[in-house]
Amino acid sequence: MSRPEQSSGSASRRQLIKVGLFGAMGIASAAAVPEVMAKMPNKKDVMSDIKVLNNALFYEHQAIWAYGFAAGKLTNSNVGKAVLAIALANQADHKAHRDLLTSVVKQLGGVPVMAKTEYLKTVTPYIEKGEGNLDSDVNIAKLALALEVDAAIAYGLEVATLKNPDLITAGASIGSTEASHATVIRAAFQSLGVSLNVVPAPFVSKDTRDAWIIKV
């Protein structure tokens, strides 16, 4: 499970990320695929990277669904509108990640994992642990925060297992965007008068996770 109201600046950042990722991986076109494959002569390594990328793609599908599902439960209050603006901006980033990961998996010869109809079962554990809920605008924001923190942590762990160095660079770039999503959500809470540090720890990791989460 980016920023308040979508602006030209946020759109430009997403475009830069997208262009930068394609450039980093050297696969902006089908003609460039051999360049990437040349760095992965071992078919086992290719298959391993496809698996990691598909795992990431699964969670991008989950994030897109979660933001869309939660958006329908937000109120028309000022807080609800603010949360919706952040949700739509974040969701747009996740869609860009989805499209990129899908393209890379295909170009590596794999089959991209398809999106499910719903991901409620994967979100429910967060609600059960008090890391957000769907019963209010504020709690929906807390749920989004927890999902984004875990996405940032997951990318940090998963990209380290990739075999292709260009894919590692690309995955790290996406992971940093997930961390920025969490930062923007925390900044929104601060703007609402909640006393907290927008960046509560020098790292986004399993060890610092509790510092980033805002409990219900």
Side-chain angles (χ1 to χ4, degrees):
M1 28 191 143
S2 288
R3 306 135 298 274
E5 211 164 14
Q6 199 169 335
S7 65
S8 59
S10 62
S12 297
R13 193 196 69 175
R14 280 196 293 274
Q15 185 63 25
L16 285 171
I17 290 171
K18 188 174 181 180
V19 172
L21 290 179
F22 275 110
M25 289 183 285
I27 53 175
S29 66
V33 174
E35 180 180 340
V36 176
M37 298 304 292
K39 297 181 180 180
M40 303 179 68
N42 188 326
K43 185 176 181 181
K44 185 177 179 180
D45 287 348
V46 175
M47 298 305 295
S48 175
D49 278 5
I50 288 173
K51 182 178 179 180
V52 173
L53 295 174
N54 261 333
N55 284 341
L57 182 55
F58 172 89
Y59 288 106
E60 296 296 348
H61 286 318
Q62 179 201 53
I64 292 167
W65 174 86
Y67 275 117
F69 181 76
K73 297 184 176 298
L74 292 168
T75 69
N76 199 39
S77 67
N78 289 336
V79 173
K81 291 177 180 178
V83 174
L84 178 61
I86 294 173
L88 292 177
N90 288 2
Q91 187 188 58
D93 281 346
H94 287 295
K95 288 179 178 179
H97 299 164
R98 174 202 62 193
D99 294 344
L100 182 60
L101 290 168
T102 297
S103 175
V104 175
V105 170
K106 287 181 178 179
Q107 291 183 67
L108 290 178
V111 178
V113 63
M114 299 297 291
K116 295 183 178 181
T117 304
E118 58 89 18
Y119 292 82
L120 190 58
K121 288 184 179 179
T122 64
V123 173
T124 299
Y126 289 88
I127 297 174
E128 293 176 343
K129 290 187 292 184
E131 296 179 347
N133 209 317
L134 297 168
D135 57 358
S136 71
D137 298 332
V138 170
N139 284 341
I140 287 173
K142 291 177 180 179
L143 178 60
L145 173 61
L147 290 170
E148 294 289 6
V149 169
D150 280 351
I153 293 172
Y155 269 103
L157 294 172
E158 290 296 320
V159 297
T161 68
L162 289 166
K163 308 301 181 182
N164 184 296
D166 290 336
L167 294 181
I168 293 174
T169 300
S173 181
I174 295 178
S176 67
T177 304
E178 312 296 14
S180 76
H181 291 176
T183 301
V184 170
I185 294 172
R186 288 182 62 86
F189 273 103
Q190 187 185 68
S191 71
L192 291 172
V194 179
S195 179
L196 53 72
N197 292 322
V198 174
V199 180
F203 306 100
V204 183
S205 66
K206 292 174 67 176
D207 292 337
T208 64
R209 183 181 184 276
D210 287 348
W212 285 87
I213 301 298
I214 301 176
K215 291 276 192 172
V216 171

